[in-house]
Amino acid sequence: MSGKRWDDDAINEVLRNVAQSGGKQWEVQGPDWLIRTNGTREDHEGGLAALNALLAAPVRVATASPLPGSPVVNSQAPTLAEAIQSYSEVEAKGLKPNTWSQRRRSLAGFAEAIGGHLRVDVITRPMAANWSDGLIRADKAKGYAANCVSHVAQLFEALCLKGVVPTNPVKGLVVLKKKEKAARRSEGHEWEPFEEAQLKRIFDPANLARTRMEHVRWSALIALYTGARVGEIAQIFLRDFVMDQGTKCVLIHADSDGQGVKTGEGGERKVPLHPDLLRLGLWERVEALRAAGAERLFPAMRIDSAAGKGASVSKGFSYYLAGLGIEARREHGIIGMHSLRKNVIQMLQGSSLPEERRRALVGHEPGDPPADTHQTSYMRAWTAAELAVYFPGLPWGQWLDFKGLGPLLALVETQPRPERKRRQTPPQGGSKRQQTTA
């Protein structure tokens, strides 16, 4: 068929030849492509689907004679584009905005490569593999390709549950092996803790004054003394500060609108407040905000960003680090607010605090496997007093300048900032891109 014009007569001739093959090996040569099958049922079906896409004639291919013993069925399955649209209207509502943003991009890339007009039940594993292999051929990192595959696999997982397709053709096409993950870590592809000299620069009052945002200043100090994740700190409500048998604590949980915790056991927890945080005025801040009628620890900060609850804190802290000239030690290393979590965990690791209490404090799951096989079923939650023994394990107060930090931590904003009104029409000559204040 090479060099011929792909009119209706040519298409019909190709399909007759394929149908007459009876599912045996067949080959079709196009102007700039070649389809060759190996005689197996799977390859025959994959070849038909590929031919469907290339000839853009889904009805004709669907009516081509099937393999011997296969029923003649006109597919009622949705097209890939329709399935993605339905997924966005139903399943996406339960996803975090940032997760859905990544999944939507992966699905769009998959549809562009495979063909949005194809019905989902004719998309085969070889076709999906050709897409995932293409990501790596395009010099995308294997980790990136694995993430894309994982996102697209969720679409087909939903279709499998609904009985639309029998199997998931995408799941597991690209997986990072343990050895590959270890190799990436050895190359420095991970979060780095700050060195003590860097910590002293970060929390030097003269430097910390450079950032005007009180939620960045306070969040960094809370992370330094609790090891909490940035999103967990950003979402704290005033009602989350409690007294437990005389010990002041903060609850990390999902008990209010807009809150969430990392999945798995241990995410929800009670964290005793370190005496240094109290000395810096955290409890006084809580009481002053309560008196002002506020609800959250950082009432002027948005927590509904598509990038996550802690996006404003992470971005502000990263700008602050850049201004100080603090960079990752290794080429592929990462530094930011999460580095403080690593500092806390590593410091407690070298203290007398038992491992299971350290895990409970920072929100890690029990060991895998747990040292005690009945740990998760029989052990009660740790009390605030039992967890408070971690205090001596974090000796940051030996060099923190409490007197200098005090004025920088004074309460400034007690109410949410009013949302900026967006212009309905840009002025003549265009408009600058608006930036929201977090």
Side-chain angles (χ1 to χ4, degrees):
M1 296 296 299
S2 178
K4 289 189 177 182
R5 178 174 174 268
W6 291 100
D7 54 18
D8 287 346
D9 290 339
I11 291 173
N12 289 330
E13 180 183 349
V14 169
L15 297 179
R16 278 196 301 272
N17 292 337
V18 170
Q20 291 170 3
S21 72
K24 298 179 181 178
Q25 289 179 308
W26 52 269
E27 176 181 307
V28 177
Q29 174 71 57
D32 54 359
W33 48 265
L34 172 67
I35 298 177
R36 181 186 293 121
T37 65
N38 59 17
T40 64
R41 177 186 297 272
E42 184 182 49
D43 210 45
H44 174 74
E45 293 174 350
L48 284 177
L51 194 58
N52 179 14
L54 291 168
L55 301 182
V59 175
R60 293 187 178 91
V61 174
T63 58
S65 298
L67 290 175
S70 299
V72 178
V73 179
N74 290 323
S75 174
Q76 300 299 315
T79 65
L80 179 57
E82 292 169 344
I84 293 174
Q85 179 62 30
S86 176
Y87 186 91
S88 69
E89 295 171 352
V90 179
E91 306 292 342
K93 293 182 178 180
L95 300 176
K96 295 180 179 179
N98 196 37
T99 301
W100 170 236
S101 177
Q102 296 175 25
R103 187 159 300 172
R104 183 174 54 202
R105 288 196 298 269
S106 298
L107 290 170
F110 181 73
E112 182 179 359
I114 295 292
H117 67 284
L118 283 181
R119 298 195 180 276
V120 292
D121 57 352
V122 302
I123 297 175
T124 64
R125 195 165 182 82
M127 294 168 65
N130 189 51
W131 161 72
S132 61
D133 290 347
L135 294 175
I136 297 177
R137 291 193 188 99
D139 293 329
K140 300 295 184 183
K142 188 173 181 181
Y144 172 83
N147 285 336
C148 290
V149 166
S150 177
H151 281 302
V152 175
Q154 292 304 311
L155 167 68
F156 285 92
E157 200 66 25
L159 293 172
C160 286
L161 289 174
K162 296 175 181 179
V164 178
V165 295
T167 58
N168 190 330
V170 182
K171 186 177 181 179
L173 282 174
V174 182
V175 178
L176 279 179
K177 301 176 182 176
K178 287 186 177 180
K179 185 181 293 185
E180 292 174 317
K181 292 180 180 179
R184 283 182 59 82
R185 285 194 297 269
S186 67
E187 294 171 357
H189 292 269
E190 61 179 352
W191 285 97
E192 294 181 1
F194 294 114
E195 298 175 357
E196 184 172 314
Q198 293 176 320
L199 287 174
K200 290 180 178 179
R201 290 183 60 200
I202 291 170
F203 293 100
D204 183 332
N207 290 332
L208 198 59
R210 297 185 183 187
T211 174
R212 302 177 184 177
M213 297 175 287
E214 57 181 328
H215 60 265
V216 173
R217 297 172 182 173
W218 265 116
S219 293
L221 283 163
I222 293 172
L224 182 67
Y225 278 101
T226 65
R229 301 172 180 91
V230 62
E232 294 172 340
I233 297 172
Q235 70 180 8
I236 295 175
F237 275 70
L238 298 178
R239 66 177 69 96
D240 299 330
F241 290 93
V242 298
M243 289 284 291
D244 187 331
Q245 297 180 350
T247 301
K248 294 181 173 69
C249 305
V250 62
L251 303 177
I252 305 296
H253 58 180
D255 198 46
S256 301
D257 292 341
Q259 288 185 319
V261 294
K262 191 168 183 178
T263 56
E265 296 180 31
E268 295 200 354
R269 60 199 187 276
K270 182 184 300 178
V271 181
L273 295 176
H274 196 285
D276 287 354
L277 285 176
L278 300 178
R279 182 179 173 185
L280 288 165
L282 179 57
W283 200 261
E284 284 78 3
R285 176 185 176 85
V286 171
E287 291 179 334
L289 284 169
R290 283 172 174 165
E295 293 186 340
R296 295 192 293 113
L297 182 62
F298 306 120
M301 183 187 70
R302 287 180 53 194
I303 59 172
D304 59 350
S305 168
K309 303 177 192 64
S312 179
V313 175
S314 294
K315 185 182 295 185
F317 190 68
S318 295
Y319 282 142
Y320 174 53
L321 294 179
L324 294 179
I326 295 178
E327 299 178 346
R329 181 173 57 85
R330 303 191 62 178
E331 179 183 359
H332 302 296
I334 312 169
I335 58 170
M337 186 67 71
H338 200 75
S339 298
L340 296 170
R341 176 174 171 81
K342 199 160 188 177
N343 277 112
V344 170
I345 292 172
Q346 292 186 355
M347 185 61 70
L348 293 178
Q349 182 182 354
S351 72
S352 60
L353 186 70
E355 177 186 357
E356 62 270 18
R357 297 196 201 186
R358 186 184 77 239
R359 288 179 173 275
L361 185 71
V362 300
H364 276 160
E365 295 185 76
D368 185 19
D372 177 0
T373 55
H374 300 291
Q375 182 175 345
T376 57
S377 300
Y378 291 87
M379 288 183 65
R380 59 170 172 75
W382 296 98
T383 66
E386 289 168 338
L387 290 176
V389 298
Y390 86 91
F391 292 160
L394 299 180
W396 317 126
Q398 294 176 5
W399 48 261
L400 271 182
D401 181 356
F402 290 90
K403 185 176 180 180
L405 288 171
L408 299 177
L409 301 174
L411 182 61
V412 177
E413 296 179 289
T414 61
Q415 297 297 329
R417 296 177 187 172
E419 292 187 8
R420 292 183 178 180
K421 294 182 178 180
R422 296 181 179 272
R423 293 176 179 172
Q424 298 299 319
T425 56
Q428 292 184 354
S431 64
K432 293 183 179 180
R433 184 179 180 180
Q434 294 186 356
Q435 299 193 7
T436 56
T437 302

